[in-house]
Each structure stands twice: as structure tokens, then as C-alpha cells.
């Protein structure tokens, strides 16, 4: 029986990992007659090990340096991850660690790590404690204790297994699990237990009791939220204390007077409220005493004995070995690869390690078990996990700079999440004399990119000094570009050393100009694919490198080629000048250093789908699970849409468990009509920066439901125009758009807001008159014969298909041309390019890798040239051009269609 193989695209769209057809679909096929390369033999399972490899280091200030590492797997198929460490020498008298907080020291006004460092003068820092990310259900205060310069900003919570990191006043690091113990004593000698300081409402563990019921709390000027706290489920009685004297009491409610630095508010409920009403009076003295208690050895600590403390989550390393997790790690996606933040110290207590693992582009971070091994290899004796994922942030002041910058990308690129607190690195060194100079500027460039470099200087304590008066002289050791007036223009791929001299001082920086051999994927994201004269199309291009880095390619570095139309390209946009007569499709091909990608344009038009101005159907709300609350309605007056209408969706996932969904249901679920065969949907969305997932539900002509991702994640605030590809959604038209909805998945739920509000407006369909035409016919070839048929008609080949090293080769141009493709041979680049439908294939004879619409894919064997014709492995035809191949072993015939 003939054997049949049909593979679309040849790689997994979700994971962008090339699929080896032999391993996935051909594993049961054997015999020398099979025309594809033999399927690989499965290797015996071996244990995977990891090694921490130092990449480089740079001094931040006297006693602190940044050290960067690679986390390399013994399995070469696993992506090497990047680890960043701020290494602090506690024996150095000029370096100091301290807690960083929200704006102006507030524990409820979150801000980014970079903003914290700038506000407090830190020269480096990382994010700290875990916190509730929803501003609708919590103030976002740290869950654990925070001490800054000996002052308790927040106390610990009654949560099991929560560890903290601190440094004592005599510079000794400590990682332990702490409890809080305190009393408030009235002038009459009556005392009442103080439950905590500056705490949001939560549930005790393990009994689940509500935190503020029948309890007494203290709130200081560091608590700036309007309520003390929200969602406590209790009506308080409050007393206002200034300089140890009660100045005001409100029996049932909150005190409105702002809290001064020398004052605090006592908030009580039930028995605690009775204590305030019965034992405190205006004008009387009151005192408060509190301490931290180690939950592991019972030792009591006066908070003033600590220089700083920031809490975390589970312990990771104890005694230089991986510790058993002290808390459930599922809420942190502990078993999954994520960005991570941790802190620990060496066995001798002299070194502190502030650690982050990067998650950006192709870098996915590590599970917690790998983070433990990273810390052990660093030399951590005891360490604790801090808030990770989207919160993971490290900033550091580059040598010679006066301000901190991101030490590596966050999960959002250059955007920093606003967090509860952090650990800051500070210098107390005096002004020194000049010690050296620094060449400062971009280290990674693309051909054609320009970058500015500057001379900076630092003193004997590695702190920046004004470089004015220094005359820089620049030079580069390899001709990969030109340097003029402090501006370097890259012209050739490779690496080089850029050196600056001033007097007897000099410094060098290694720069790289990215080459095609480093690129794994090139993507272009046009804002429209409608082909019409005059259209201006934004075409940002990104490159994902083999090492996982994801970089934006400057517009000046991209060369564009257009087929089916003419256009100009400038400043990241292409402007269509004219469309070729009778063109049904156009190709915009982006090339960088021989690596290419493309997108398809088709003539057509945009037609309105819904602008919500004259809605005659019902718009309703539904949610899953049943506890989900929310509302969907057409409203007027939204910011940015003050005079027009839009669809607003409010959601509240506070209650319920698991995956959560909030739906705006259109027309009672019957939806609104989507006619024609649209290639894309554009819409304006007002985001809430919730990091949730935004989707749409369609019901097609067959009654089948199709789900389309609009945004993943929602990482912006305000209005933004989205373009969503519909061509791959397999929707049979005419269809109905039935729902627009928000998804909050159980995995990484701590990373996303549980409450929010989004809005939709100006839904439009991009409707080409027809899909990209593809010739559908049969091509029959026979191994060793130049005779062939195309659609049953006889045809002659210049070169016959052949079998070499158990791989069958077919003439690429013949097959492509017969099936409606466009094949071009570039004699200068020695490269063949095939365009067919929505796919582009580029191959080079002798190279066993190919580029499939911007993705580097391994080929089963290298193409070869015979009789001036390029022959390619048959598997390439099936996998990369979306064709079906049938092999008849008796006739040694190959049918392709």
C-alpha cells in the first residue's frame, strides 16, 4: 500500500520547536524502500546535569559587584538560561544593604525597583516580598516583615513556612522564619496583645481565621492607603496616638486625621475595640512594645537590632544543601520554568548574593529546584525565595554612571512591574580621586545601526565622577564599522574591542554586530496586510537569537523586497506605491544579512464590524466559575472615548478557584454576523495592565466554536489597537462573534490581577477578495527517471529524482513551479527562495538548515546541486511547503499534491 505523509509548516506553532517528522510520524515505518531518511533511533535516557558558567563581572561600587552567569545543561537541546548576581561583601565598611519601599517610604504605594533605587539613592537592587497584585482586593502591602534602618514598616503574617532575609546592625546576615509578638499598655496598666503593624486583610494559616477579627493592629505613617485595611470584614474602633499620648478616639469608624511621623493609629475590633474604649482616653499615655521571634529556635529579637529585613516565601537552601520547601510552591509555578528572584549568604556570613534568573524572549527561567542548584553552585549557605515571575527585576549602576539601569530585561522587556518592596545596595564611601575611565554604550548592534558612546569616569571607591575636562580618543581593533564623533556605525558582522583613552587611562568594551548565523527566528508584525496603493504599514521586526535573546532589529538594518507591488520603506514603515495589475497577492520580504522572513498582503478592504454606537441587541455578562462577578455594558464617556460609546467589561475573580473566565456575551450568545472570509480582525482595546489573557469566541457556519487570542497578556493601560490573524483559526464562514472575554488561568495566578476593567471599540474586518491562491494538482515523479506527469499530463525533468544516503531528492524548481510556487536562484548568495501561498522557503546547497518563513529549521539532509539543478530532500517538500506525499515502493513513484 502506498504510504502517505502530510505535515503542515513543519514546526509547532506554540513552541516554535522544529518537528522531526521521522520521530513523530514515521517511527513505525521501516525498510530501505521508504524514500525519506530513516527515522532516528531513540537514545537511551541519561541524567541531565547543569553547570554555572561565569560570563563576566563588573564593579557597582566599593564592596559590590554584578556577576553574570550562564546556566548550561548537559542536554544541548535545552536552552541555556541567564543568571545575574549582585555580590555584596559585608566586610567592606562602605557598602550597606537596606529595604526599599513604595513611594515616599509607603508600604501601600507600590513602585518599580528602579524608581525605589532612584528615590532612595541605591546603587543597585532587586525586588523583594510577595504581595497581592490586585489593587481592588488588597493594598499590595508586603505579606511578610519589612524593616528599614531598624524601623518596622510591616510585621510578619501568620502564614506557614514564610522565611525572611535580614542583616543585623552588626552586619550579620540571617535567613529565618519569624513571628511577631507585641503588647499595647494603657496608662492604667492594662495591656492588650498587638497583632501586627501595617497589615492588609488576610486569612491566618492553618485555621483560615480572618486576620482583623477581634484583633488590635498599629498603623503608622508608612500606611498611606485610604482604608486600614480594605476588605477586612470588620468595623473598627480607632485611637490616634502622637508622641505616646492619645489625641483622638473614634468608637465606630476610621480616624481621618493624617498620621504624622511621630504618631500611629491603634485599630481594634471586638475585644480589642473594648480595650480602646474602656482603657484609653484622650490625653492619657499609651505605650507599645514589640519584637520578632524566631519560629525555629525561639530566639527573640528587638527590631532595632536589624539594619534591614525583607521577607520572602519558601526556604531554598539550608546548610549549603537544597532544603525541603517550607510552603506549597504551586502558586509560584514552582515546578515550571519562570523568572526567579532569591537572596542568600555564604557560610562565613561575609558575602550576600542577590540573585535573579532572567525570563525574556526565548529565555524562560528555571523551576525552583534548579534555582536551588544555582544557589548552591554560587556558594549560598542559606537562602530564601523572593517574588519571581513578572516581579523579577534587578537594577544596577554601571561603572561611571550616576543612575541605575536594568541589569537585564524583565518578563515585559524594559517595563518594570510596580512591586511592594525590594533590597537596595547603598554606598557610604566618601568622594575619592579619579581611578579610571569607562567606555559606555550599546554592546549589541545590527548592520547599519548607529550607536553613541561616551567617556565616563569613576573614583577610588568606584563611584562616578564628572568626566568633563577629559578628552577621549576612540579606536576599534577590527573593521566591523566606523567611529566618528562618539558615534559608531556597524557595517559588518562580528565582534570587536572598542577602546577609549584619555591621558594614561584607558578602557575597552566588547561589542558585537549580530550575524545571520546567530539568528534562530526573524518575525515581522505588520499592523495591516491589506494590499492597496497608498497604504502605510508599520513593520516592526524582531530577531530571536540562538542563545534566547530577543532583540528589536532597527529599521535601518532591514532590506525590503516587494513582489506584486511597489513600495517605499523608511523609519519602520512601508508605503505601498502601486499594486501590480491583476495581483491577487503581494509578498513583503524582510532581509537581514541573508536571513529572511516575509508576510503576505492581499488586495481587499477593511469593513466595520461593530463600533457600539447603535447597538440594538442585548449585551450581557456571564462568568466561570459560578463565583465570578462582573458586568458588561455599552457605556459613554470612557477616558479616550469621552464622546463615543464602547463596550465595557468589568470582572472580579476574587472568589472561586482554578481557571477563571469573564465573558461579555453578544446578542444573548447568538453573536453578531461575521461575513465573507476575513483574514484579520482589528479592534481598539482599553487595557488594565492586569497580565490576564484576552480572547474572542466565534461560532462558525457548522456550529463549531473557535477561540481566538486577542492579547496574551494584557500588558498595557489605556487604548491600544490590536490586529488579530483569523486565517489560521479554521473558521467556516459566515460566522458569528459571540463573546469577548478575559481569562485568568490557575497557573501563575499570583502574577495576574483578580479584578479589572477593559473596554472594546471599533471592531473592523480585513477582508481580502480571496485567499492566497495555491495550485492544486498532482505531480508524479519516479526515482531515476526524467519522465513525470503534472495533472496527468506528461512532462520532462532536467534532472531525475535520486536516492542518496537513504534520502530521496527531488528537483525543487520543477515541483514548486508545477504546484504554483515561485522559485528564484540567487547566484551571488548561492541560495534558492521558494514562495508558495503563505510560505517562504530558503535553502542553500550543502547546508543542512533552511529558513521557513523566518524560522531556522533543521533539514533531514543538505540540498545538493546536480546538472545545474537544486535537488532537495523529499521531506522538505512535504513539511515546509504543506504538501502531501505518497510513496509507492513497487513503482518507486512519488506523488505530490
Amino acid at each position: 500500500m502506498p504510504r502517505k505523509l502530510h505535515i503542515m509548516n513543519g514546526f509547532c506553532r506554540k513552541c516554535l520547536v522544529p518537528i522531526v517528522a521521522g520521530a513523530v510520524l514515521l517511527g513505525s515505518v521501516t525498510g530501505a524502500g521508504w524514500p525519506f531518511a530513516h527515522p532516528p533511533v531513540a537514545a537511551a535516557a541519561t541524567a541531565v546535569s547543569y553547570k554555572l558558567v561565569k560570563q563576566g563581572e563588573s564593579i557597582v561600587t566599593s564592596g559590590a559587584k554584578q556577576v553574570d552567569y550562564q546556566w548550561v545543561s548537559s542536554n544541548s537541546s535545552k536552552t541555556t538560561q541567564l543568571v545575574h548576581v549582585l555580590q555584596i561583601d559585608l566586610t567592606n565598611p562602605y557598602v550597606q544593604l537596606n529595604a526599599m519601599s513604595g513611594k515616599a517610604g509607603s508600604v501601600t504605594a507600590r513602585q518599580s525597583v528602579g524608581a525605589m533605587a532612584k528615590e532612595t539613592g541605591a546603587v543597585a537592587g532587586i525586588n523583594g516580598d510577595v504581595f497581592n497584585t490586585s489593587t481592588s482586593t488588597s493594598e499590595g502591602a508586603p505579606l511578610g516583615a519589612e524593616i528599614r534602618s531598624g524601623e518596622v514598616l510591616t510585621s510578619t503574617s501568620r502564614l506557614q513556612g514564610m522565611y525572611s532575609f535580614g542583616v543585623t546592625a552588626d552586619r550579620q546576615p540571617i535567613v529565618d522564619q519569624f513571628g511577631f509578638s507585641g503588647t499595647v499598655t494603657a496608662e492604667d496598666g492594662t495591656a492588650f496583645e498587638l497583632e501586627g503593624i501595617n497589615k492588609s486583610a488576610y486569612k491566618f494559616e492553618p485555621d483560615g481565621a480572618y486576620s482583623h477579627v477581634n484583633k488590635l493592629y498599629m498603623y503608622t505613617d508608612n500606611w498611606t492607603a485610604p482604608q486600614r485595611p480594605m476588605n477586612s470584614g470588620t468595623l473598627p474602633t480607632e485611637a490616634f496616638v502622637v508622641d505616646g499620648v492619645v489625641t483622638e478616639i473614634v468608637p465606630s469608624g476610621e480616624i481621618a486625621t493624617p498620621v504624622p511621623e511621630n504618631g500611629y493609629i491603634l485599630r481594634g475590633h471586638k475585644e480589642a475595640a473594648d480595650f480602646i474604649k474602656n482603657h484609653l482616653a484622650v490625653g492619657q499615655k499609651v505605650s507599645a512594645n514589640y519584637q520578632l521571634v524566631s519560629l525555629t529556635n525561639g530566639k527573640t529579637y528587638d527590631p532595632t537590632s536589624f539594619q534591614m529585613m525583607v521577607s520572602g516565601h519558601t526556604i531554598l537552601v539550608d546548610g549549603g544543601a537544597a532544603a525541603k520547601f517550607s510552603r506549597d510552591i504551586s502558586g509560584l509555578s514552582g515546578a515550571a520554568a519562570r523568572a526567579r528572584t532569591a537572596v542568600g549568604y555564604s557560610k562565613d556570613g561575609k558575602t550576600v548574593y542577590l540573585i535573579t534568573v532572567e525570563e525574556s524572549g526565548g529565555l524562560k527561567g528555571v523551576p525552583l529546584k534548579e534555582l536551588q542548584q544555582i544557589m548552591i553552585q554560587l556558594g549560598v549557605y542559606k537562602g530564601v525565595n523572593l517574588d519571581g515571575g513578572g516581579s523579577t527585576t534587578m537594577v544596577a549602576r554601571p561603572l561611571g554612571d550616576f543612575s541605575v539601569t536594568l541589569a537585564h530585561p524583565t518578563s515585559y522587556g524594559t517595563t518594570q512591574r510596580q512591586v511592594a518592596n525590594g533590597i537596595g545596595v547603598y554606598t557610604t564611601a566618601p568622594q575619592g580621586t579619579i581611578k579610571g575611565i569607562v567606555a559606555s554604550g550599546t554592546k549589541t548592534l545590527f548592520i547599519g545601526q548607529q550607536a553613541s558612546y561616551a567617556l565616563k569616569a569613576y573614583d577610588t571607591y568606584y563611584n562616578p565622577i564628572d568626566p568633563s575636562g577629559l578628552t577621549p580618543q576612540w579606536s576599534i581593533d577590527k573593521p566591523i564599522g566606523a567611529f566618528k564623533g562618539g558615534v559608531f556605525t556597524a557595517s559588518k558582522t562580528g565582534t570587536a574591542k572598542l577602546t577609549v583613552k584619555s591621558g594614561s587611562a584607558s578602557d575597552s568594551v566588547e561589542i558585537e554586530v549580530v550575524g545571520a548565523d546567530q539568528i534562530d527566528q526573524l518575525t515581522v508584525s505588520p499592523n495591516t496586510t491589506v494590499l492597496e496603493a497608498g497604504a502605510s504599514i508599520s513593520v516592526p521586526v524582531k530577531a530571536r537569537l540562538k542563545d534566547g535573546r530577543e532583540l528589536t532589529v532597527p529599521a535601518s538594518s532591514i532590506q525590503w523586497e516587494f513582489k506584486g507591488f511597489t513600495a517605499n520603506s523608511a523609519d519602520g514603515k512601508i508605503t505601498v506605491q502601486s499594486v501590480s495589475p491583476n495581483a491577487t497577492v503581494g509578498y513583503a520580504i524582510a532581509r537581514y544579512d541573508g536571513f529572511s522572513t516575509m508576510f503576505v498582503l492581499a488586495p481587499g478592504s477593511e469593513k466595520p464590524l461593530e463600533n457600539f454606537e447603535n447597538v440594538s441587541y442585548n449585551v450581557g455578562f456571564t462568568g466561570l466559575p459560578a463565583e465570578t462577578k462582573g458586568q458588561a455594558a455599552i457605556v459613554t464617556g470612557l477616558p479616550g472615548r469621552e464622546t463615543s460609546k464602547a463596550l465595557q467589561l468589568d470582572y472580579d475573580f476574587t472568589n472561586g478557584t482554578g481557571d477563571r473566565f469573564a465573558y461579555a456575551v453578544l446578542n444573548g450568545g447568538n453573536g453578531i454576523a461575521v461575513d465573507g472570509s476575513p483574514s484579520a480582525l482589528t479592534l481598539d482595546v482599553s487595557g488594565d495592565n492586569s497580565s490576564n489573557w484576552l480572547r474572542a469566541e466565534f461560532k462558525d457556519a457548522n456550529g463549531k466554536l473557535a477561540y481566538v487570542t486577542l492579547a496574551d497578556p494584557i500588558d498595557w493601560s489605556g487604548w491600544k489597537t490590536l490586529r488579530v490573524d483569523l486565517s489560521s483559526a479554521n473558521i467556516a464562514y459566515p460566522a458569528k462573534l459571540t463573546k469577548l472575554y478575559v481569562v485568568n488561568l490557575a497557573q501563575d495566578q499570583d502574577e495576574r490581577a483578580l479584578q479589572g476593567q477593559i473596554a472594546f471599540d471599533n471592531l473592523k474586518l480585513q477582508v481580502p477578495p480571496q485567499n492566497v491562491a495555491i495550485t492544486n494538482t498532482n505531480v508524479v515523479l519516479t526515482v531515476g527517471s526524467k519522465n513525470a506527469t503534472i495533472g496527468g499530463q506528461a512532462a520532462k525533468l532536467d534532472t531525475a529524482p535520486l536516492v542518496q544516503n537513504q534520502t530521496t531528492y527531488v528537483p525543487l524548481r520543477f515541483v514548486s513551479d508545477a504546484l504554483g510556487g515561485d522559485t528564484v536562484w540567487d547566484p551571488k548568495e548561492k541560495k534558492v527562495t521558494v514562495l508558495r501561498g503563505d510560505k517562504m522557503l530558503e535553502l542553500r546547497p550543502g547546508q543542512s538548515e533552511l529558513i521557513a518563513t523566518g524560522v531556522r529549521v533543521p533539514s533531514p539532509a543538505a540540498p545538493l546541486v546536480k546538472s545545474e539543478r537544486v535537488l532537495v530532500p523529499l521531506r522538505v517538500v512535504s513539511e515546509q511547503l504543506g504538501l502531501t506525499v505518497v510513496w509507492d515502493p513497487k513503482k518507486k513513484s512519488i506523488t505530490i499534491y
Side-chain angles (χ1 to χ4, degrees):
M1 292 291 292
R3 297 184 175 107
K4 183 176 179 179
L5 174 67
H6 188 191
I7 303 175
M8 298 299 293
N9 298 328
F11 60 92
C12 165
R13 287 185 180 273
K14 182 177 180 182
C15 56
L16 296 177
V17 175
I19 296 172
V20 181
V24 177
L25 296 177
L26 306 182
S28 62
V29 178
T30 60
W34 183 249
F36 300 96
H38 279 309
V41 177
T46 56
V48 177
S49 61
Y50 291 88
K51 185 177 182 181
L52 200 60
V53 180
K54 184 177 176 180
Q55 280 189 299
E57 68 176 61
S58 56
I59 296 176
V60 178
T61 189
S62 180
K65 61 182 178 180
Q66 179 184 333
V67 190
D68 299 311
Y69 298 89
Q70 291 181 324
W71 183 239
V72 183
S73 172
S74 61
N75 182 344
S76 60
S77 66
K78 291 184 176 293
T79 302
T80 294
Q81 302 300 321
L82 298 182
V83 179
H84 309 275
V85 180
L86 292 171
Q87 190 168 314
I88 315 303
D89 178 8
L90 292 182
T91 67
N92 187 303
Y94 297 119
V95 71
Q96 188 180 90
L97 294 177
N98 215 335
M100 302 188 296
S101 300
K103 298 173 184 176
S106 169
V107 297
T108 56
R110 293 174 290 180
Q111 62 178 338
S112 69
V113 176
M116 290 179 186
K118 182 178 180 180
E119 182 179 83
T120 63
V123 297
I126 60 172
N127 63 292
D129 203 350
V130 291
F131 62 98
N132 188 333
T133 59
S134 174
T135 57
S136 301
T137 59
S138 172
E139 296 82 4
L143 289 186
E146 180 181 349
I147 298 175
R148 186 180 65 215
S149 300
E151 177 189 359
V152 176
L153 274 62
T154 62
S155 59
T156 59
S157 298
R158 290 200 198 184
L159 299 173
Q160 294 182 311
M162 299 287 281
Y163 277 74
S164 301
F165 166 80
V167 179
T168 64
D170 57 356
R171 304 175 70 83
Q172 295 301 307
I174 186 170
V175 169
D176 203 351
Q177 189 177 2
F178 293 98
F180 177 84
S181 174
T183 56
V184 173
T185 304
E187 190 172 272
D188 64 6
T190 305
F192 198 92
E193 181 181 2
L194 180 64
E195 179 61 34
I197 300 174
N198 291 335
K199 301 305 295 182
S200 293
Y202 68 102
K203 289 184 179 181
F204 293 159
E205 292 177 349
D207 58 5
Y210 289 93
S211 59
H212 283 64
V213 173
N214 203 27
K215 300 297 181 184
L216 182 67
Y217 283 86
M218 175 187 290
Y219 287 88
T220 71
D221 63 320
N222 299 114
W223 183 276
T224 59
Q227 293 178 271
R228 287 183 294 272
M230 68 169 71
N231 302 314
S232 71
T234 60
L235 179 64
T237 290
E238 292 192 342
F240 196 11
V241 181
V242 178
D243 288 330
V245 177
V246 179
T247 61
E248 182 181 355
I249 293 177
V250 175
S252 297
E254 293 190 341
I255 291 171
T257 307
V259 181
E261 186 177 352
N262 60 338
Y264 57 84
I265 286 175
L266 292 173
R267 181 201 193 277
H269 175 252
K270 291 183 69 174
E271 292 180 17
D274 291 342
F275 166 75
I276 293 174
K277 288 183 282 190
N278 297 332
H279 297 281
L280 301 184
V282 173
Q284 292 184 348
K285 293 182 178 180
V286 63
S287 62
N289 296 283
Y290 45 84
Q291 52 275 327
L292 298 181
V293 181
S294 169
L295 299 182
T296 59
N297 58 28
K299 183 177 179 180
T300 299
Y301 294 86
D302 183 337
T304 60
S305 68
F306 282 95
Q307 165 68 20
M308 59 83 59
M309 180 176 290
V310 167
S311 293
H313 193 263
T314 179
I315 190 170
L316 292 175
V317 177
D318 193 3
K324 181 181 178 181
F325 297 132
S326 55
R327 282 186 65 81
D328 180 9
I329 62 171
S330 60
L332 306 176
S333 299
R338 288 305 313 269
R340 303 291 177 188
T341 308
V343 58
Y345 60 86
S346 61
K347 186 175 182 178
D348 60 11
K350 295 179 180 180
T351 305
V352 169
Y353 305 90
L354 308 180
I355 306 160
T356 58
V357 182
E358 185 177 337
E359 176 187 341
S360 66
L363 301 171
K364 301 304 179 185
V366 298
L368 283 184
K369 285 188 177 295
E370 286 187 32
L371 179 58
Q372 289 176 307
Q373 297 306 311
I374 289 170
M375 295 172 74
I376 292 168
Q377 291 192 32
L378 280 171
V380 171
Y381 181 72
K382 197 168 187 179
V384 60
N385 185 56
L386 300 177
D387 194 14
S391 296
T392 292
T393 309
M394 177 184 285
V395 298
R397 186 183 69 184
L399 194 60
D401 277 18
F402 283 86
S403 58
V404 298
T405 61
L406 273 175
H408 60 82
T410 67
S411 298
Y412 311 110
T414 58
T415 300
Q416 300 180 42
R417 169 181 280 180
Q418 293 189 334
V419 296
N421 60 18
I423 302 175
V425 181
Y426 299 85
T427 179
T428 60
Q431 180 72 55
T433 58
I434 186 170
K435 179 180 178 64
I437 61 174
V438 177
S440 176
T442 303
K443 295 181 180 180
T444 303
L445 302 94
F446 291 85
I447 297 173
Q449 183 177 356
Q450 290 188 329
S452 297
Y453 292 83
L455 169 65
K456 299 182 179 181
Y458 57 92
D459 68 12
T460 47
Y461 299 104
Y462 299 97
N463 292 317
I465 57 176
D466 186 357
S468 60
L470 301 177
T471 303
Q473 294 178 325
W474 298 93
S475 63
I476 191 166
D477 67 343
K478 294 179 184 176
I480 62 172
F483 203 94
K484 185 177 181 180
V487 177
F488 176 75
T489 304
S491 60
K492 184 180 179 182
T493 64
T495 60
K497 182 182 293 185
L498 181 64
T499 300
V500 61
K501 292 184 178 181
S502 180
S504 61
S506 67
D507 184 54
S508 297
V509 58
E510 294 285 344
I511 60 173
E512 67 170 336
V513 180
V514 174
D517 59 336
Q518 296 174 258
I519 298 175
D520 207 41
Q521 183 178 358
L522 200 65
T523 57
V524 56
S525 302
N527 66 333
T528 180
T529 57
V530 175
L531 180 60
E532 59 184 6
S536 179
I537 306 172
S538 176
V539 284
V541 179
K542 287 189 175 181
R544 178 173 293 177
L545 306 190
K546 292 178 179 179
D547 62 12
R549 286 179 293 167
E550 190 169 275
L551 306 172
T552 298
V553 185
S556 59
S557 301
I558 295 294
Q559 293 181 331
W560 287 95
E561 179 183 338
F562 309 110
K563 291 184 177 292
F565 65 101
T566 61
N568 288 327
S569 61
D571 300 325
K573 291 185 177 181
I574 60 175
T575 302
V576 178
Q577 294 176 306
S578 64
V579 180
S580 302
N582 303 317
T584 60
V585 66
Y587 293 96
I589 302 172
R591 301 188 186 278
Y592 173 75
D593 191 36
F595 198 104
S596 305
T597 190
M598 68 90 182
F599 67 96
V600 180
L601 298 90
S605 61
E606 280 190 342
K607 69 174 186 179
L609 176 62
E610 182 59 87
N611 61 11
F612 302 108
E613 294 300 324
N614 298 292
V615 173
S616 59
Y617 53 83
N618 175 61
V619 174
F621 174 86
T622 187
L624 290 173
E627 296 88 347
T628 300
K629 298 179 181 179
Q631 182 178 358
I634 308 298
V635 300
T636 305
L638 289 176
R641 295 289 191 278
E642 287 81 2
T643 60
S644 61
K645 297 179 179 179
L647 169 58
Q648 180 175 294
L649 174 61
D650 295 88
Y651 59 90
D652 184 349
F653 296 130
T654 304
N655 299 311
T657 59
D659 296 341
R660 307 173 196 189
F661 305 83
Y663 301 94
V665 182
L666 307 178
N667 196 19
N670 295 316
I672 56 178
V674 180
D675 298 321
S677 297
S679 60
L681 168 71
T682 64
L683 69 165
D684 296 341
V685 176
S686 177
D688 58 4
N689 208 29
S690 62
S691 294
N692 286 313
W693 189 10
L694 189 63
R695 305 199 85 197
E697 178 189 277
F698 293 82
K699 181 181 288 186
D700 74 3
N702 301 319
K704 179 182 176 183
L705 296 179
Y707 305 96
V708 175
T709 297
L710 305 179
D712 181 17
I714 305 172
D715 58 359
W716 72 95
S717 298
W719 289 97
K720 177 180 179 180
T721 300
L722 305 178
R723 180 183 182 278
V724 185
D725 179 25
L726 297 179
S727 61
S728 59
N730 298 319
I731 300 173
Y733 295 97
K736 303 280 188 178
L737 173 61
T738 55
K739 296 174 183 175
L740 297 166
Y741 62 103
V742 172
V743 183
N744 184 302
L745 295 178
Q747 182 174 343
D748 298 330
Q749 206 156 71
D750 64 309
E751 290 287 298
R752 294 181 292 274
L754 294 177
Q755 291 181 317
Q757 180 187 91
I758 58 173
F760 307 88
D761 199 6
N762 294 333
L763 278 67
K764 299 178 183 178
L765 298 172
Q766 294 184 0
V767 189
Q770 61 184 16
N771 292 327
V772 178
I774 299 177
T775 301
N776 290 312
T777 189
N778 283 4
V779 177
V780 181
L781 309 172
T782 302
V783 172
S785 173
K786 293 184 178 182
N787 295 318
T789 63
I790 302 175
Q793 300 296 313
K796 272 286 186 184
L797 298 169
D798 294 326
T799 305
L802 60 87
V803 176
Q804 183 171 302
N805 296 327
Q806 297 184 333
T807 298
T808 299
Y809 290 84
V810 295
L812 179 60
R813 181 183 290 276
F814 179 86
V815 173
S816 172
D817 290 353
L819 293 171
D822 181 9
T823 306
V824 177
W825 168 254
D826 185 335
K828 182 179 179 181
E829 295 287 335
K830 299 190 183 302
K831 173 181 68 177
V832 61
T833 300
V834 180
L835 292 167
R836 182 177 185 270
D838 60 353
K839 297 177 176 61
M840 182 175 76
L841 193 62
E842 293 198 332
L843 316 95
R844 284 182 168 85
Q847 295 188 13
S848 58
E849 286 184 329
L850 52 89
I851 310 301
T853 319
V855 179
R856 187 184 298 275
V857 178
S859 173
L864 53 85
V865 176
K866 187 175 179 62
S867 302
E868 298 184 350
R869 290 291 181 264
V870 176
L871 282 78
V872 297
L874 183 56
R875 186 183 295 171
V876 170
V877 173
S878 63
E879 290 180 350
Q880 304 305 333
L881 294 180
L883 298 169
T884 299
V885 175
V886 179
W887 166 250
D888 189 327
K890 290 185 178 180
K891 297 180 180 179
K892 295 190 180 297
S893 67
I894 305 158
T895 302
I896 306 173
Y897 62 92

